[in-house]
Amino acid sequence: SPFLQVEHIRDQFPGLANNWHYLDTAATAQKPKVVLDAMMRAGGVDYATVHRGVYARSANMSVAFEAARTRVARFMGATSADEIVFVRGATEGINLVAHSWGTANLTAGDRIMLSQLEHHSNIVPWQMVAEKVGAFIDVCPLTKDGQIDLDWLEAHLTPAHKMVALAHVSNVLGSVLDAKRAAHAAHAVGAKLLLDGCQAAPRMHLDMAALGCDFYVMSGHKLYGPTGVGVLWAQAETLNAMPPYQGGGAMIDRVTFEKTTYAPAPSRFEAGTPMIIEVIGLHAAIDFIDSFGPDALFAHESALAAQTCDALRAISSITLYGPEQSAGIVSFSMVGVHPHDIGTILDEENVAIRAGHHCAQPLMDHLGVPATARASFGIYNDEDDVAALVRGLERVKRIFG
Ligand code: PMP
């Protein structure tokens, strides 16, 4: 069976008490007790600053902070901890690349390739840098079933394209990108590939070398860790060739009023006191999800998504969006019912879904709807949650029928 035994897993999540059917993990994942405990210790008995203290507590905290970086590097299949930049989240990671790499490497007339299904955080930073340098944005269309059309991409990339930035997994449709093929296509014209791994990192085995991308971003809070921490991965050589994004303490080599020189990566991108407690929490979260094995989460959640699609297809007024094979995320609509009303009625049934544009308005425009309802699965969901969703949707249909 592709399914994990979730009873024991659910018990570890204080946020899931009272049989709550939480189907909004794509927005943010609930946190296991090991993560909350690790953060409580880090902010309590172990708390001190990193990098600067000469006393033992601070030295210990610095060791723990760097151990988290090493753990993240192993989780991502990076070759060195120097490739791991701690940022506030995926959004900050993409802004960092757009502003730092973008302003240093893009000039007037250059082109940036995005796709129709990107999250606003993988659109707006590129628009900002494009406007600043006079670059243009192209949009790769989707196949009929909602995947980034790589045939089109291969046919339309040109040497003017310097950056290709794509979601590894769509937060709306659950579509999984063939990242290796996208990397090959980008590199064939001399472009870099940035992957938005927000939804892939909590579900798929990551191996930076195998993916072949140049930049990878992810958010801690979607990985069963805390908010306020995320990761940007790039090869140290790439990072060291990029100008700093923010200035301040901890990112310098030597400061004088005449001239300041910068520390090598990753420090040069980590100005100021970092998110110490959150980084320790992220370490615990990665230990937690890795303990299930590299492919267990994907198998579990995509099987729940498939089961959900089968059940929803049987309800005649429901339209499903996205590919047959979804990484645990199911978007749908119901004839004559606004997604927000679906969400409100499901809430009365103790079922939490997301309704809205999911920060992907261009994708909504493509689908021809203002919003969708979205059920997304996590490690703690099971067939009971699917059954509760289906029961709730049958009630929605009766009310609006
Ligand atoms: N990209 C995708 C695909 C996402 O799902 C999200 C979060 N919804 C983001 C980017 C932005 O992540 P964050 O808000 O954690 O920075």
Side-chain angles (χ1 to χ4, degrees):
S1 156
F3 294 116
L4 295 160
Q5 292 303 312
V6 306
E7 275 141 70
H8 171 64
I9 296 173
R10 282 183 71 93
D11 289 346
Q12 301 178 51
F13 286 82
L16 295 175
N18 306 319
N19 200 28
W20 193 35
H21 300 289
Y22 184 67
L23 297 176
D24 200 18
T25 294
T28 197
Q30 297 289 328
K31 285 91 187 73
K33 207 165 165 299
V34 282
V35 168
L36 302 171
D37 289 348
M39 292 174 72
M40 185 68 109
R41 280 194 308 275
V45 294
D46 291 344
Y47 191 65
T49 194
V50 291
H51 302 326
R52 276 170 287 265
V54 291
Y55 47 92
R57 179 88 76 87
S58 174
N60 291 343
M61 190 52 104
S62 303
V63 169
F65 188 81
E66 291 309 321
R69 196 188 303 279
T70 303
R71 184 67 184 89
V72 171
R74 182 152 65 84
F75 176 70
M76 299 182 83
T79 45
S80 144
D82 291 345
E83 301 174 350
I84 304 301
V85 180
F86 287 123
V87 289
R88 203 159 55 77
T91 300
E92 190 180 49
I94 297 169
N95 276 279
L96 193 165
V97 177
H99 290 271
S100 167
W101 182 91
T103 49
N105 291 280
L106 296 171
T107 54
D110 283 347
R111 308 192 78 87
I112 300 164
M113 181 69 79
L114 307 177
S115 90
Q116 189 74 43
L117 60 65
E118 297 312 313
H119 189 279
H120 295 164
S121 66
N122 199 26
I123 299 173
V124 183
W126 299 114
Q127 289 176 323
M128 291 164 75
V129 68
E131 192 168 336
K132 198 153 128 189
V133 305
F136 299 100
I137 288 176
D138 293 309
V139 182
C140 182
L142 308 182
T143 60
K144 268 212 180 63
D145 68 345
Q147 309 195 55
I148 296 172
D149 188 343
L150 293 179
D151 289 337
W152 189 97
L153 188 89
E154 285 168 351
H156 290 81
L157 281 174
T158 68
H161 289 98
K162 298 289 153 53
M163 170 60 73
V164 179
L166 303 172
H168 194 182
V169 167
S170 160
N171 65 311
V172 179
L173 305 174
S175 335
V176 181
L177 176 73
D178 181 345
K180 277 185 212 179
R181 195 176 154 199
H184 196 264
H187 295 159
V189 296
K192 302 280 186 204
L193 176 67
L194 176 141
L195 292 178
D196 170 357
C198 263
Q199 301 296 342
R203 300 185 166 84
M204 296 170 70
H205 175 61
L206 296 184
D207 180 347
M208 292 303 113
L211 287 174
C213 61
D214 301 283
F215 299 100
Y216 200 95
V217 298
M218 60 190 203
S219 280
H221 70 98
K222 296 186 200 254
L223 268 169
Y224 305 91
T227 50
V229 63
V231 172
L232 163 65
W233 171 88
Q235 286 181 349
E237 190 181 60
T238 306
L239 292 172
N240 282 322
M242 287 162 51
Y245 168 56
Q246 295 178 337
M251 54 76 74
I252 52 87
D253 167 37
R254 170 98 180 103
V255 176
T256 66
F257 279 110
E258 289 67 43
K259 171 137 186 84
T260 290
T261 51
Y262 305 121
S267 303
R268 78 163 51 193
F269 297 111
E270 295 181 357
T273 303
M275 49 305 252
I276 301 169
I277 299 169
E278 290 76 8
V279 164
I280 302 291
L282 179 62
H283 187 163
I286 286 176
D287 281 346
F288 174 79
I289 64 170
D290 249 6
S291 69
F292 295 91
D295 301 312
L297 274 70
F298 186 87
H300 177 72
E301 292 169 35
S302 58
L304 288 173
Q307 201 171 67
T308 303
C309 290
D310 284 345
L312 298 197
R313 263 187 219 105
I315 304 178
S316 59
S317 56
I318 286 183
T319 305
L320 284 167
Y321 304 101
E324 194 74 32
Q325 248 282 346
S326 160
I329 300 172
V330 178
S331 264
F332 60 94
S333 62
M334 208 176 211
V335 176
V337 191
H338 195 281
H340 285 138
D341 292 328
I342 298 177
T344 304
I345 293 167
L346 289 177
D347 189 34
E348 293 166 8
E349 304 283 313
N350 226 13
V351 177
I353 61 152
R354 172 98 184 262
H357 55 62
H358 318 290
C359 296
Q361 286 176 349
L363 176 54
M364 297 298 114
D365 293 344
H366 165 77
L367 298 174
V369 294
T372 69
R374 178 188 71 185
S376 57
F377 297 98
I379 191 169
Y380 30 60
N381 292 121
D382 64 7
E383 292 156 288
D384 271 359
D385 299 312
V386 177
L389 172 69
V390 174
R391 264 197 318 276
L393 290 171
E394 276 159 358
R395 188 168 156 240
V396 174
K397 196 179 165 186
R398 280 199 302 278
I399 291 172
F400 284 86

